[in-house]
């Protein structure tokens, strides 16, 4: 397992070395290398350095160029000074193929592990107990799961946390009703319970208890008293509460299963998981002076965060009646994640509308010393899912869209798309059904992940399962097409031939393939899974151009050319498959 330096980093090093010998005081300066339309790369750093050293930039650029060896056998084929002192750099075909061969020889495609890898706790996929998951729960789960994969691939130790809503006053009503109607959560049979059955039990019980709570004052009083029992840890009350949590988990896990997402029980630590810490959290904040009593409530005040009315908004950690708000739980979770889990980064994949709350929670934790130079917290804030009309996504009746319905419809649409082409590629009925799931769920995830998380996006299933444009189906088809090419190649095997001259489409594809490692590093550092999606879409587009312009099987090219092109096909397929798996999307072998 060896990381492979990219062509860009090797070129950058050559230019930096030549710069340092031409202008010794510029040792370690950044040549500012980037991809270019005029050549493979352009280095723009000389202008600023020349200005600083009061030198003529074109003369300095010329001296730098003289210090760099070039030629077909070298890393750099040619380098020229352009404009006021830019360097246009073309790498040799040999260097491209040799670098790609080194990537192909490595299981990780030469992608380096991060030298600064640490421990990240990522808080995502946060459903509420006894409540149905809706379209709003989609983004937190999908974005969080992709970030977990990307960070783990770079060598980060990732601890997953699902902060489910499993505590609070609404449970008094539910528990009291279950106590008085003990068979409401019983299952019809001993066999495995479906998620749908579990949710319909919970829905029915919720509606019945709500109706009673609203109409019967005596029940309301008993329900409120039950909240006190729950918070005091009364064993009978906790046992009934646990039944709600367990029933909800049957349902949650069935939805995550549909989403092709692995959620492990030990990672589900709800609001209740921090109950034992709340009193101490408040005590620590009050004793250190970070929080103060105001009208009986324990508050943290900020000059910098103002509410909609323009007045400073305090963070209420404990209410005047002694009850704890979300802030107390969130601050206790930070203490636990930093103290017990030894995290140096905390990521919260939470709706952008909660930004003010998290800014205040993080600032409070900084003042308390739980977050510091060595430990940072980040909200990976996401926008809203919109309907085709550009308004928040609702059913025709104005209801919130159930997540299960949305996923089932995506799979139905995708299965129809797969079925149309099934005969041509010889898919069995079982393969049609399986691929329909991979394509449907992939379409939903990709639509979410191909948009920058902070932006709202339109949920348009027709667009999502389209074979054209920036969709996951387009990428899945590109992968399946390459697998088909490799099967058809028969005896001919992929093999790299550095001695060959490359066609423009081969070069473009090769340079893009070489950028995979740098791209993964960038997506991990910026918590930006959409950059992986954009890279893969461009890779598929470049492959399409390459396949149109450079015959791979028919008309059959001469042997070494064919082997080299099959090698490019194979590395493209492996890169696509790896990139898609980081986004949580499957790549079927045949489509």
């Amino acid at each position: 397992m060896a990381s492979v330096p990219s062509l860009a980093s090797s070129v950058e090093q050559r230019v930096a070395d030549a710069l340092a010998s031409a202008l010794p005081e510029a040792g370690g300066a950044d040549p500012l290398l980037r991809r270019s339309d005029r050549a493979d790369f352009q280095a723009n750093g000389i202008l600023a350095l020349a200005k600083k050293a009061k030198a003529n930039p074109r003369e300095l650029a010329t001296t730098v160029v003289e210090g760099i060896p070039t030629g077909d056998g070298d890393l750099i084929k040619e380098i020229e000074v352009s404009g006021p002192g830019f360097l246009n750099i073309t790498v040799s075909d040999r260097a491209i193929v040799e670098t790609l061969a080194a990537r192909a020889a490595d299981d990780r495609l030469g992608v380096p592990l991060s030298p600064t890898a640490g421990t990240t706790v990522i808080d995502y996929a946060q459903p509420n107990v006894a409540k149905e998951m809706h379209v709003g729960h989609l983004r937190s789960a999908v974005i969080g799961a992709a970030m977990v994969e990307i960070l783990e691939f770079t060598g980060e130790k990732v601890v997953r946390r699902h902060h489910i809503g499993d505590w609070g006053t609404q449970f008094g009503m539910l528990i009291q009703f279950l106590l008085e109607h003990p068979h409401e959560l019983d299952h019809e049979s001993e066999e495995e319970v479906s998620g749908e059955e579990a949710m319909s039990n919970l829905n029915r019980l919720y509606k019945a208890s709500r109706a009673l709570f609203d109409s019967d004052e005596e029940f309301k009083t008993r329900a409120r008293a039950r909240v006190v029992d729950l918070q005091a840890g009364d064993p009978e009350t906790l046992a009934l509460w646990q039944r709600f949590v367990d029933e909800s988990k049957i349902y949650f896990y069935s939805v995550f299963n549909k989403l092709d997402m692995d959620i492990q029980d030990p990672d589900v630590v709800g609001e209740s998981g921090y109950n034992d810490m709340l009193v101490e959290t408040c005590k620590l904040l009050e004793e250190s002076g970070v929080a103060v009593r105001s009208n009986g409530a324990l508050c943290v005040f900020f000059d910098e965060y103002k509410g909609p009315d323009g007045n400073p908004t305090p963070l209420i950690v404990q209410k005047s009646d002694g009850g704890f708000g979300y802030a107390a739980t969130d601050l206790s979770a930070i203490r636990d994640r930093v103290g017990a889990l030894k995290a140096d980064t905390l990521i919260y994949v939470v709706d952008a509308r909660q930004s003010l709350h998290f800014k205040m929670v993080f600032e409070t934790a900084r003042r308390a010393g739980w977050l510091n130079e060595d430990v940072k917290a980040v909200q990976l804030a996401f926008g809203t899912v919109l309907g085709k009309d550009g308004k928040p996504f609702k059913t025709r009746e104005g209801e919130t869209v159930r997540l299960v319905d949305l996923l089932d419809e995506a799979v139905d649409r995708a299965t129809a798309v797969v079925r149309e082409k099934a005969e041509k590629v010889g898919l069995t009925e079982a393969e049609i059904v399986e691929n329909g799931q991979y394509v449907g769920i992939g379409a939903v995830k990709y639509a979410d992940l191909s948009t920058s998380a902070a932006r709202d996006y339109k949920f348009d299933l027709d667009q999502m399962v389209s074979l054209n444009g920036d969709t996951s189906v387009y990428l899945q088809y590109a992968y399946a097409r390459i697998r088909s090419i490799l099967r058809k190649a028969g005896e001919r095997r992929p093999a790299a031939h550095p001695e060959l001259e490359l066609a423009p489409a081969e070069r473009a594809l090769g340079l893009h393939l070489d950028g995979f490692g740098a791209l993964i590093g960038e997506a991990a550092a910026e918590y930006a899974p959409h950059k992986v999606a954009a890279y893969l879409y461009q890779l598929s587009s470049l492959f399409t151009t390459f396949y149109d312009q450079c015959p791979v099987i028919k008309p059959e090219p001469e042997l070494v050319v064919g082997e080299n092109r099959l090698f490019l096909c194979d590395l493209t397929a492996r890169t696509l498959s790896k990139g898609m798996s980081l986004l949580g999307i499957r790549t079927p072998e045949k489509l």
Side-chain angles (χ1 to χ4, degrees), residues 212-229:
L212 197 58
F213 187 86
D214 290 342
S215 64
D216 182 335
E217 282 303 318
E218 288 180 0
F219 176 74
K220 191 181 271 188
T221 305
R222 293 197 297 278
R224 287 188 167 147
R226 188 60 55 187
V227 178
V228 178
D229 296 339

mmCIF file with all atom_site columns, all heavy atoms in Angstrom, residues 212-229:
data_model
loop_
_atom_site.group_PDB
_atom_site.id
_atom_site.type_symbol
_atom_site.label_atom_id
_atom_site.label_alt_id
_atom_site.label_comp_id
_atom_site.label_asym_id
_atom_site.label_entity_id
_atom_site.label_seq_id
_atom_site.pdbx_PDB_ins_code
_atom_site.Cartn_x
_atom_site.Cartn_y
_atom_site.Cartn_z
_atom_site.occupancy
_atom_site.B_iso_or_equiv
_atom_site.pdbx_formal_charge
_atom_site.auth_seq_id
_atom_site.auth_comp_id
_atom_site.auth_asym_id
_atom_site.auth_atom_id
_atom_site.pdbx_PDB_model_num
ATOM 1   N N   . LEU A 1 212 ? -56.748 11.765 23.604 1.00 0.00 ? 212 LEU A N   1
ATOM 2   C CA  . LEU A 1 212 ? -57.141 11.666 25.006 1.00 0.00 ? 212 LEU A CA  1
ATOM 3   C C   . LEU A 1 212 ? -56.539 12.827 25.815 1.00 0.00 ? 212 LEU A C   1
ATOM 4   O O   . LEU A 1 212 ? -57.218 13.447 26.648 1.00 0.00 ? 212 LEU A O   1
ATOM 5   C CB  . LEU A 1 212 ? -56.667 10.317 25.573 1.00 0.00 ? 212 LEU A CB  1
ATOM 6   C CG  . LEU A 1 212 ? -57.309 9.849  26.879 1.00 0.00 ? 212 LEU A CG  1
ATOM 7   C CD1 . LEU A 1 212 ? -58.821 9.738  26.744 1.00 0.00 ? 212 LEU A CD1 1
ATOM 8   C CD2 . LEU A 1 212 ? -56.732 8.493  27.305 1.00 0.00 ? 212 LEU A CD2 1
ATOM 9   N N   . PHE A 1 213 ? -55.288 13.136 25.536 1.00 0.00 ? 213 PHE A N   1
ATOM 10  C CA  . PHE A 1 213 ? -54.578 14.218 26.247 1.00 0.00 ? 213 PHE A CA  1
ATOM 11  C C   . PHE A 1 213 ? -55.307 15.546 26.032 1.00 0.00 ? 213 PHE A C   1
ATOM 12  O O   . PHE A 1 213 ? -55.453 16.356 26.939 1.00 0.00 ? 213 PHE A O   1
ATOM 13  C CB  . PHE A 1 213 ? -53.140 14.293 25.711 1.00 0.00 ? 213 PHE A CB  1
ATOM 14  C CG  . PHE A 1 213 ? -52.240 15.246 26.467 1.00 0.00 ? 213 PHE A CG  1
ATOM 15  C CD1 . PHE A 1 213 ? -51.562 14.837 27.608 1.00 0.00 ? 213 PHE A CD1 1
ATOM 16  C CD2 . PHE A 1 213 ? -52.062 16.558 26.025 1.00 0.00 ? 213 PHE A CD2 1
ATOM 17  C CE1 . PHE A 1 213 ? -50.723 15.717 28.295 1.00 0.00 ? 213 PHE A CE1 1
ATOM 18  C CE2 . PHE A 1 213 ? -51.228 17.446 26.707 1.00 0.00 ? 213 PHE A CE2 1
ATOM 19  C CZ  . PHE A 1 213 ? -50.556 17.011 27.850 1.00 0.00 ? 213 PHE A CZ  1
ATOM 20  N N   . ASP A 1 214 ? -55.766 15.760 24.788 1.00 0.00 ? 214 ASP A N   1
ATOM 21  C CA  . ASP A 1 214 ? -56.439 17.026 24.460 1.00 0.00 ? 214 ASP A CA  1
ATOM 22  C C   . ASP A 1 214 ? -57.866 17.108 25.010 1.00 0.00 ? 214 ASP A C   1
ATOM 23  O O   . ASP A 1 214 ? -58.394 18.205 25.178 1.00 0.00 ? 214 ASP A O   1
ATOM 24  C CB  . ASP A 1 214 ? -56.473 17.228 22.934 1.00 0.00 ? 214 ASP A CB  1
ATOM 25  C CG  . ASP A 1 214 ? -55.074 17.510 22.380 1.00 0.00 ? 214 ASP A CG  1
ATOM 26  O OD1 . ASP A 1 214 ? -54.188 17.871 23.184 1.00 0.00 ? 214 ASP A OD1 1
ATOM 27  O OD2 . ASP A 1 214 ? -54.880 17.350 21.166 1.00 0.00 ? 214 ASP A OD2 1
ATOM 28  N N   . SER A 1 215 ? -58.497 15.941 25.279 1.00 0.00 ? 215 SER A N   1
ATOM 29  C CA  . SER A 1 215 ? -59.916 15.974 25.646 1.00 0.00 ? 215 SER A CA  1
ATOM 30  C C   . SER A 1 215 ? -60.179 15.627 27.115 1.00 0.00 ? 215 SER A C   1
ATOM 31  O O   . SER A 1 215 ? -61.255 15.895 27.625 1.00 0.00 ? 215 SER A O   1
ATOM 32  C CB  . SER A 1 215 ? -60.699 15.010 24.754 1.00 0.00 ? 215 SER A CB  1
ATOM 33  O OG  . SER A 1 215 ? -60.250 13.681 25.009 1.00 0.00 ? 215 SER A OG  1
ATOM 34  N N   . ASP A 1 216 ? -59.190 15.014 27.790 1.00 0.00 ? 216 ASP A N   1
ATOM 35  C CA  . ASP A 1 216 ? -59.451 14.510 29.148 1.00 0.00 ? 216 ASP A CA  1
ATOM 36  C C   . ASP A 1 216 ? -58.460 15.133 30.131 1.00 0.00 ? 216 ASP A C   1
ATOM 37  O O   . ASP A 1 216 ? -57.275 14.785 30.139 1.00 0.00 ? 216 ASP A O   1
ATOM 38  C CB  . ASP A 1 216 ? -59.322 12.973 29.113 1.00 0.00 ? 216 ASP A CB  1
ATOM 39  C CG  . ASP A 1 216 ? -59.629 12.321 30.457 1.00 0.00 ? 216 ASP A CG  1
ATOM 40  O OD1 . ASP A 1 216 ? -59.470 12.989 31.505 1.00 0.00 ? 216 ASP A OD1 1
ATOM 41  O OD2 . ASP A 1 216 ? -60.000 11.129 30.460 1.00 0.00 ? 216 ASP A OD2 1
ATOM 42  N N   . GLU A 1 217 ? -58.942 16.069 30.938 1.00 0.00 ? 217 GLU A N   1
ATOM 43  C CA  . GLU A 1 217 ? -58.065 16.791 31.880 1.00 0.00 ? 217 GLU A CA  1
ATOM 44  C C   . GLU A 1 217 ? -57.386 15.849 32.870 1.00 0.00 ? 217 GLU A C   1
ATOM 45  O O   . GLU A 1 217 ? -56.234 16.045 33.242 1.00 0.00 ? 217 GLU A O   1
ATOM 46  C CB  . GLU A 1 217 ? -58.867 17.857 32.651 1.00 0.00 ? 217 GLU A CB  1
ATOM 47  C CG  . GLU A 1 217 ? -59.143 19.117 31.845 1.00 0.00 ? 217 GLU A CG  1
ATOM 48  C CD  . GLU A 1 217 ? -57.885 19.811 31.315 1.00 0.00 ? 217 GLU A CD  1
ATOM 49  O OE1 . GLU A 1 217 ? -56.884 19.906 32.059 1.00 0.00 ? 217 GLU A OE1 1
ATOM 50  O OE2 . GLU A 1 217 ? -57.882 20.241 30.136 1.00 0.00 ? 217 GLU A OE2 1
ATOM 51  N N   . GLU A 1 218 ? -58.130 14.819 33.323 1.00 0.00 ? 218 GLU A N   1
ATOM 52  C CA  . GLU A 1 218 ? -57.547 13.901 34.318 1.00 0.00 ? 218 GLU A CA  1
ATOM 53  C C   . GLU A 1 218 ? -56.398 13.108 33.713 1.00 0.00 ? 218 GLU A C   1
ATOM 54  O O   . GLU A 1 218 ? -55.367 12.881 34.337 1.00 0.00 ? 218 GLU A O   1
ATOM 55  C CB  . GLU A 1 218 ? -58.628 12.964 34.880 1.00 0.00 ? 218 GLU A CB  1
ATOM 56  C CG  . GLU A 1 218 ? -59.589 13.715 35.810 1.00 0.00 ? 218 GLU A CG  1
ATOM 57  C CD  . GLU A 1 218 ? -60.672 12.812 36.369 1.00 0.00 ? 218 GLU A CD  1
ATOM 58  O OE1 . GLU A 1 218 ? -60.686 11.596 36.043 1.00 0.00 ? 218 GLU A OE1 1
ATOM 59  O OE2 . GLU A 1 218 ? -61.514 13.324 37.133 1.00 0.00 ? 218 GLU A OE2 1
ATOM 60  N N   . PHE A 1 219 ? -56.589 12.661 32.440 1.00 0.00 ? 219 PHE A N   1
ATOM 61  C CA  . PHE A 1 219 ? -55.502 11.939 31.756 1.00 0.00 ? 219 PHE A CA  1
ATOM 62  C C   . PHE A 1 219 ? -54.291 12.876 31.588 1.00 0.00 ? 219 PHE A C   1
ATOM 63  O O   . PHE A 1 219 ? -53.147 12.494 31.783 1.00 0.00 ? 219 PHE A O   1
ATOM 64  C CB  . PHE A 1 219 ? -55.961 11.414 30.392 1.00 0.00 ? 219 PHE A CB  1
ATOM 65  C CG  . PHE A 1 219 ? -54.846 10.751 29.607 1.00 0.00 ? 219 PHE A CG  1
ATOM 66  C CD1 . PHE A 1 219 ? -54.363 9.497  29.959 1.00 0.00 ? 219 PHE A CD1 1
ATOM 67  C CD2 . PHE A 1 219 ? -54.236 11.408 28.539 1.00 0.00 ? 219 PHE A CD2 1
ATOM 68  C CE1 . PHE A 1 219 ? -53.308 8.900  29.265 1.00 0.00 ? 219 PHE A CE1 1
ATOM 69  C CE2 . PHE A 1 219 ? -53.184 10.827 27.838 1.00 0.00 ? 219 PHE A CE2 1
ATOM 70  C CZ  . PHE A 1 219 ? -52.724 9.564  28.204 1.00 0.00 ? 219 PHE A CZ  1
ATOM 71  N N   . LYS A 1 220 ? -54.577 14.127 31.236 1.00 0.00 ? 220 LYS A N   1
ATOM 72  C CA  . LYS A 1 220 ? -53.506 15.128 31.049 1.00 0.00 ? 220 LYS A CA  1
ATOM 73  C C   . LYS A 1 220 ? -52.687 15.258 32.336 1.00 0.00 ? 220 LYS A C   1
ATOM 74  O O   . LYS A 1 220 ? -51.449 15.291 32.301 1.00 0.00 ? 220 LYS A O   1
ATOM 75  C CB  . LYS A 1 220 ? -54.136 16.484 30.679 1.00 0.00 ? 220 LYS A CB  1
ATOM 76  C CG  . LYS A 1 220 ? -53.121 17.511 30.217 1.00 0.00 ? 220 LYS A CG  1
ATOM 77  C CD  . LYS A 1 220 ? -53.753 18.854 29.886 1.00 0.00 ? 220 LYS A CD  1
ATOM 78  C CE  . LYS A 1 220 ? -54.194 18.937 28.445 1.00 0.00 ? 220 LYS A CE  1
ATOM 79  N NZ  . LYS A 1 220 ? -54.627 20.292 28.057 1.00 0.00 ? 220 LYS A NZ  1
ATOM 80  N N   . THR A 1 221 ? -53.359 15.308 33.474 1.00 0.00 ? 221 THR A N   1
ATOM 81  C CA  . THR A 1 221 ? -52.668 15.435 34.768 1.00 0.00 ? 221 THR A CA  1
ATOM 82  C C   . THR A 1 221 ? -51.803 14.201 35.023 1.00 0.00 ? 221 THR A C   1
ATOM 83  O O   . THR A 1 221 ? -50.645 14.315 35.438 1.00 0.00 ? 221 THR A O   1
ATOM 84  C CB  . THR A 1 221 ? -53.712 15.601 35.905 1.00 0.00 ? 221 THR A CB  1
ATOM 85  O OG1 . THR A 1 221 ? -54.552 16.705 35.566 1.00 0.00 ? 221 THR A OG1 1
ATOM 86  C CG2 . THR A 1 221 ? -53.039 15.863 37.244 1.00 0.00 ? 221 THR A CG2 1
ATOM 87  N N   . ARG A 1 222 ? -52.369 13.010 34.764 1.00 0.00 ? 222 ARG A N   1
ATOM 88  C CA  . ARG A 1 222 ? -51.608 11.763 34.980 1.00 0.00 ? 222 ARG A CA  1
ATOM 89  C C   . ARG A 1 222 ? -50.384 11.716 34.041 1.00 0.00 ? 222 ARG A C   1
ATOM 90  O O   . ARG A 1 222 ? -49.306 11.290 34.418 1.00 0.00 ? 222 ARG A O   1
ATOM 91  C CB  . ARG A 1 222 ? -52.496 10.529 34.722 1.00 0.00 ? 222 ARG A CB  1
ATOM 92  C CG  . ARG A 1 222 ? -53.629 10.361 35.721 1.00 0.00 ? 222 ARG A CG  1
ATOM 93  C CD  . ARG A 1 222 ? -54.219 8.950  35.683 1.00 0.00 ? 222 ARG A CD  1
ATOM 94  N NE  . ARG A 1 222 ? -54.844 8.561  34.417 1.00 0.00 ? 222 ARG A NE  1
ATOM 95  C CZ  . ARG A 1 222 ? -56.088 8.887  34.041 1.00 0.00 ? 222 ARG A CZ  1
ATOM 96  N NH1 . ARG A 1 222 ? -56.843 9.647  34.828 1.00 0.00 ? 222 ARG A NH1 1
ATOM 97  N NH2 . ARG A 1 222 ? -56.577 8.478  32.889 1.00 0.00 ? 222 ARG A NH2 1
ATOM 98  N N   . ALA A 1 223 ? -50.573 12.181 32.799 1.00 0.00 ? 223 ALA A N   1
ATOM 99  C CA  . ALA A 1 223 ? -49.484 12.163 31.809 1.00 0.00 ? 223 ALA A CA  1
ATOM 100 C C   . ALA A 1 223 ? -48.342 13.089 32.245 1.00 0.00 ? 223 ALA A C   1
ATOM 101 O O   . ALA A 1 223 ? -47.166 12.756 32.116 1.00 0.00 ? 223 ALA A O   1
ATOM 102 C CB  . ALA A 1 223 ? -50.009 12.584 30.442 1.00 0.00 ? 223 ALA A CB  1
ATOM 103 N N   . ARG A 1 224 ? -48.713 14.256 32.786 1.00 0.00 ? 224 ARG A N   1
ATOM 104 C CA  . ARG A 1 224 ? -47.689 15.207 33.231 1.00 0.00 ? 224 ARG A CA  1
ATOM 105 C C   . ARG A 1 224 ? -46.919 14.671 34.434 1.00 0.00 ? 224 ARG A C   1
ATOM 106 O O   . ARG A 1 224 ? -45.709 14.882 34.550 1.00 0.00 ? 224 ARG A O   1
ATOM 107 C CB  . ARG A 1 224 ? -48.327 16.554 33.546 1.00 0.00 ? 224 ARG A CB  1
ATOM 108 C CG  . ARG A 1 224 ? -48.720 17.262 32.249 1.00 0.00 ? 224 ARG A CG  1
ATOM 109 C CD  . ARG A 1 224 ? -49.186 18.674 32.473 1.00 0.00 ? 224 ARG A CD  1
ATOM 110 N NE  . ARG A 1 224 ? -49.259 19.378 31.207 1.00 0.00 ? 224 ARG A NE  1
ATOM 111 C CZ  . ARG A 1 224 ? -50.156 20.314 30.936 1.00 0.00 ? 224 ARG A CZ  1
ATOM 112 N NH1 . ARG A 1 224 ? -51.041 20.664 31.853 1.00 0.00 ? 224 ARG A NH1 1
ATOM 113 N NH2 . ARG A 1 224 ? -50.161 20.912 29.762 1.00 0.00 ? 224 ARG A NH2 1
ATOM 114 N N   . ALA A 1 225 ? -47.625 13.968 35.308 1.00 0.00 ? 225 ALA A N   1
ATOM 115 C CA  . ALA A 1 225 ? -46.967 13.372 36.472 1.00 0.00 ? 225 ALA A CA  1
ATOM 116 C C   . ALA A 1 225 ? -45.994 12.271 36.010 1.00 0.00 ? 225 ALA A C   1
ATOM 117 O O   . ALA A 1 225 ? -44.943 12.049 36.603 1.00 0.00 ? 225 ALA A O   1
ATOM 118 C CB  . ALA A 1 225 ? -48.008 12.781 37.420 1.00 0.00 ? 225 ALA A CB  1
ATOM 119 N N   . ARG A 1 226 ? -46.375 11.613 34.908 1.00 0.00 ? 226 ARG A N   1
ATOM 120 C CA  . ARG A 1 226 ? -45.541 10.515 34.383 1.00 0.00 ? 226 ARG A CA  1
ATOM 121 C C   . ARG A 1 226 ? -44.198 11.049 33.855 1.00 0.00 ? 226 ARG A C   1
ATOM 122 O O   . ARG A 1 226 ? -43.183 10.375 33.933 1.00 0.00 ? 226 ARG A O   1
ATOM 123 C CB  . ARG A 1 226 ? -46.321 9.800  33.265 1.00 0.00 ? 226 ARG A CB  1
ATOM 124 C CG  . ARG A 1 226 ? -45.710 8.546  32.728 1.00 0.00 ? 226 ARG A CG  1
ATOM 125 C CD  . ARG A 1 226 ? -45.507 7.440  33.696 1.00 0.00 ? 226 ARG A CD  1
ATOM 126 N NE  . ARG A 1 226 ? -46.701 7.021  34.411 1.00 0.00 ? 226 ARG A NE  1
ATOM 127 C CZ  . ARG A 1 226 ? -46.684 6.133  35.409 1.00 0.00 ? 226 ARG A CZ  1
ATOM 128 N NH1 . ARG A 1 226 ? -45.540 5.587  35.791 1.00 0.00 ? 226 ARG A NH1 1
ATOM 129 N NH2 . ARG A 1 226 ? -47.808 5.802  36.023 1.00 0.00 ? 226 ARG A NH2 1
ATOM 130 N N   . VAL A 1 227 ? -44.197 12.291 33.339 1.00 0.00 ? 227 VAL A N   1
ATOM 131 C CA  . VAL A 1 227 ? -42.928 12.912 32.877 1.00 0.00 ? 227 VAL A CA  1
ATOM 132 C C   . VAL A 1 227 ? -41.953 13.017 34.054 1.00 0.00 ? 227 VAL A C   1
ATOM 133 O O   . VAL A 1 227 ? -40.762 12.726 33.919 1.00 0.00 ? 227 VAL A O   1
ATOM 134 C CB  . VAL A 1 227 ? -43.183 14.333 32.301 1.00 0.00 ? 227 VAL A CB  1
ATOM 135 C CG1 . VAL A 1 227 ? -41.870 14.980 31.882 1.00 0.00 ? 227 VAL A CG1 1
ATOM 136 C CG2 . VAL A 1 227 ? -44.125 14.272 31.115 1.00 0.00 ? 227 VAL A CG2 1
ATOM 137 N N   . VAL A 1 228 ? -42.489 13.415 35.212 1.00 0.00 ? 228 VAL A N   1
ATOM 138 C CA  . VAL A 1 228 ? -41.656 13.557 36.413 1.00 0.00 ? 228 VAL A CA  1
ATOM 139 C C   . VAL A 1 228 ? -41.073 12.197 36.792 1.00 0.00 ? 228 VAL A C   1
ATOM 140 O O   . VAL A 1 228 ? -39.889 12.072 37.109 1.00 0.00 ? 228 VAL A O   1
ATOM 141 C CB  . VAL A 1 228 ? -42.493 14.148 37.582 1.00 0.00 ? 228 VAL A CB  1
ATOM 142 C CG1 . VAL A 1 228 ? -41.647 14.264 38.841 1.00 0.00 ? 228 VAL A CG1 1
ATOM 143 C CG2 . VAL A 1 228 ? -43.067 15.507 37.184 1.00 0.00 ? 228 VAL A CG2 1
ATOM 144 N N   . ASP A 1 229 ? -41.925 11.130 36.705 1.00 0.00 ? 229 ASP A N   1
ATOM 145 C CA  . ASP A 1 229 ? -41.447 9.767  37.013 1.00 0.00 ? 229 ASP A CA  1
ATOM 146 C C   . ASP A 1 229 ? -40.344 9.354  36.038 1.00 0.00 ? 229 ASP A C   1
ATOM 147 O O   . ASP A 1 229 ? -39.354 8.731  36.421 1.00 0.00 ? 229 ASP A O   1
ATOM 148 C CB  . ASP A 1 229 ? -42.604 8.751  36.901 1.00 0.00 ? 229 ASP A CB  1
ATOM 149 C CG  . ASP A 1 229 ? -43.693 9.008  37.943 1.00 0.00 ? 229 ASP A CG  1
ATOM 150 O OD1 . ASP A 1 229 ? -43.391 9.669  38.956 1.00 0.00 ? 229 ASP A OD1 1
ATOM 151 O OD2 . ASP A 1 229 ? -44.837 8.558  37.734 1.00 0.00 ? 229 ASP A OD2 1
#
